[in-house]
Amino acid sequence: MSDHVAQSQPVLSMPSSVPSTLMPSSVTSKRHPCSSASVTYISRRKLVEVVDGLLGVMTPSSTHIKPSVHSFSDGPSDELCPYKAWLATCPSALASFDRIIASAQGKKIALFLDYDGTLSPIVNDPEKAFMSPEMRAAVKNVAKFFPTAIVSGRSRDKVFEFVQLKELCYAGSHGMDIMLSSADSESKTEDDKETKLFQPASEFLPMIIEAYDSLVEATRSITGANVENNKFCVSVHYRNVDKQDWNSVAQLVDDVLKSFPHLKLTTGRKVLEVRPVIDWDKGKAVEFLLQSLRLDDPESVLPIYIGDDRTDEDAFKVLRERNCGCGILVSQLPKQTQAFYSLRAPSEVMEFLDSLVRWKEQQQPAHVQE
């Protein structure tokens, strides 16, 4: 799967069942005009936006976020929110495994997995965030029984290089670059076996490339800063930057975004994410995947989403609002979350995946297992 999809392959159209609220609404960039036939984009309506750690005011002429001197934090301290007390509201998915399985009785499980911090450990060099062979085997095994998708902030190509499993769906760039595989589809016709793409932010590609080049140049003087092009978004990593320079990084990013009013800034785990201003995120990507794979019936499907970052909260929120499915947050610290359950580390994620496989194997008739 090099670029896993040939350039000539079709771009997946939005299913007719997708509510109009999922479709981005219109805004036109003077620097990068959008064609009238393309997907349109959301207008900037919010005057104030708070992005979990970055506080800023959004004026009608600007969508970037002005960093404050208290821009970065890793969440509540143990003194304010003890982990054990937090588990009362966000219990371990391993300890609650029987409860989760009970809610899946008579239903098909659909599995959605973040990558960094979920399937692989968080590392100083994002290019070395490799998953272990044991984790790859666990994901491969679980995908034999359940439709499985990777939903990552990484580019789709990059996350595929890390995972290297063709039997999965991949949603890169926070869901702005989705690859559907017929391995997860109920339909098995020859036409459906063709891999398809859905890229709601394709018109922003020239702008993203320009912003990436500008951010690389702007942060060149900051030791440890790393700018990553994730195709439909740009990630500015400051994990290896001296803490006294963190706000300098934020200020430089903010200054660059003044030239790109149709890009917005969000935050992750010691990373600043620059994305197009469209009404699309990991939650929308999960809804799209469920509908595209004919898995959106809450009476017959239980979606499970496992992730560790702030961007995964959009997916947790969707599952909570659907009142069907469960989000599982990967964290060793208590955090405010829309997830129902928690796991402490990728090692527990692997244990949870293995438990799903063992449970499913026990449900299979003996002649099917042989």
Side-chain angles (χ1 to χ4, degrees):
M1 274 188 209
S2 56
D3 189 40
H4 332 315
V5 181
Q7 292 293 327
S8 59
Q9 289 180 317
V11 175
L12 186 67
S13 61
M14 178 70 77
S16 58
S17 59
V18 176
S20 59
T21 55
L22 293 190
M23 294 302 295
S25 52
S26 181
V27 68
T28 302
S29 167
K30 292 181 180 179
R31 302 178 65 183
H32 300 278
C34 302
S35 65
S36 59
S38 67
V39 175
T40 52
Y41 306 99
I42 193 168
S43 58
R44 301 182 304 278
R45 297 170 185 164
K46 291 184 181 179
L47 295 179
V48 177
E49 182 176 15
V50 178
V51 185
D52 203 7
L54 280 180
L55 173 64
V57 176
M58 296 174 63
T59 67
S61 62
S62 175
T63 60
H64 58 277
I65 300 169
K66 183 70 174 179
S68 71
V69 293
H70 303 293
S71 293
F72 306 96
S73 66
D74 289 323
S77 68
D78 288 329
E79 291 79 13
L80 295 176
C81 186
Y83 184 77
K84 288 185 178 179
W86 180 66
L87 285 178
T89 58
C90 197
S92 165
L94 291 174
S96 307
F97 187 78
D98 289 343
R99 186 190 309 173
I100 295 172
I101 291 307
S103 65
Q105 292 299 328
K107 296 183 178 181
K108 184 175 186 177
I109 291 176
L111 197 58
F112 301 90
L113 304 168
D114 179 36
Y115 183 75
D116 292 273
T118 300
L119 300 181
S120 73
I122 296 294
V123 294
N124 289 334
D125 185 351
E127 298 298 323
K128 296 181 179 179
F130 304 115
M131 65 191 303
S132 68
E134 294 79 12
M135 179 65 87
R136 182 173 292 104
V139 176
K140 184 178 180 67
N141 287 336
V142 84
K144 294 176 182 177
F145 297 105
F146 312 106
T148 303
I150 306 295
V151 186
S152 173
R154 299 266 193 169
S155 72
R156 179 172 50 83
D157 290 342
K158 198 168 296 182
V159 77
F160 178 81
E161 288 175 6
F162 281 130
V163 178
Q164 298 178 14
L165 294 173
K166 294 184 179 181
E167 47 269 81
L168 311 180
C169 292
Y170 290 85
S173 304
H174 300 289
M176 288 181 284
D177 189 8
I178 297 177
M179 180 187 73
L180 286 179
S181 168
S182 65
D184 297 320
S185 175
E186 293 179 1
S187 178
K188 298 298 181 183
T189 66
E190 287 300 317
D191 288 341
D192 287 336
K193 288 181 181 179
E194 183 180 28
T195 300
K196 298 183 177 70
L197 282 175
F198 178 66
Q199 298 175 329
S202 58
E203 294 292 338
F204 281 96
L205 276 177
M207 192 185 301
I208 291 292
I209 294 171
E210 187 178 342
Y212 168 75
D213 291 339
S214 298
L215 288 166
V216 168
E217 184 61 32
T219 60
R220 195 180 300 278
S221 61
I222 304 293
T223 302
N226 183 5
V227 183
E228 183 181 14
N229 186 343
N230 284 312
K231 193 166 184 176
F232 291 99
C233 62
V234 179
S235 302
V236 182
H237 301 273
Y238 61 92
R239 180 172 299 276
N240 296 323
V241 173
D242 210 66
K243 192 170 184 177
Q244 65 182 8
D245 293 328
W246 284 4
N247 279 339
S248 295
V249 174
Q251 187 62 60
L252 289 170
V253 172
D254 185 75
D255 290 343
V256 168
L257 290 187
K258 291 174 182 176
S259 300
F260 299 92
H262 298 303
L263 299 180
K264 65 180 179 180
L265 182 63
T266 61
T267 66
R269 294 178 64 172
K270 294 186 177 161
V271 61
L272 300 175
E273 302 272 17
V274 176
R275 304 192 229 168
V277 181
I278 67 170
D279 188 18
W280 200 261
D281 52 38
K282 287 184 175 182
K284 297 291 195 301
V286 167
E287 288 184 295
F288 177 80
L289 283 165
L290 287 171
Q291 293 171 2
S292 298
L293 300 173
R294 303 174 188 175
L295 297 170
D296 58 332
D297 178 11
E299 300 299 320
S300 61
V301 178
L302 179 77
I304 297 176
Y305 187 105
I306 307 177
D308 76 305
D309 208 345
R310 294 182 179 104
T311 58
D312 298 307
E313 291 296 328
D314 295 316
F316 296 153
K317 182 179 179 182
V318 163
L319 296 187
R320 184 177 284 272
E321 291 177 346
R322 284 169 57 94
N323 198 29
C324 176
C326 64
I328 301 176
L329 174 67
V330 183
S331 178
Q332 295 185 13
L333 296 174
K335 295 180 180 179
Q336 185 176 359
T337 182
Q338 294 280 342
F340 286 99
Y341 300 101
S342 62
L343 293 167
R344 289 181 64 87
S347 59
E348 288 197 356
V349 173
M350 185 167 65
E351 187 177 348
F352 181 82
L353 298 181
D354 289 340
S355 296
L356 283 176
V357 171
R358 286 194 299 270
W359 167 74
K360 191 64 176 180
E361 287 177 338
Q362 292 171 2
Q363 310 301 308
Q364 296 279 34
H367 70 276
V368 174
Q369 297 182 36
E370 292 176 354

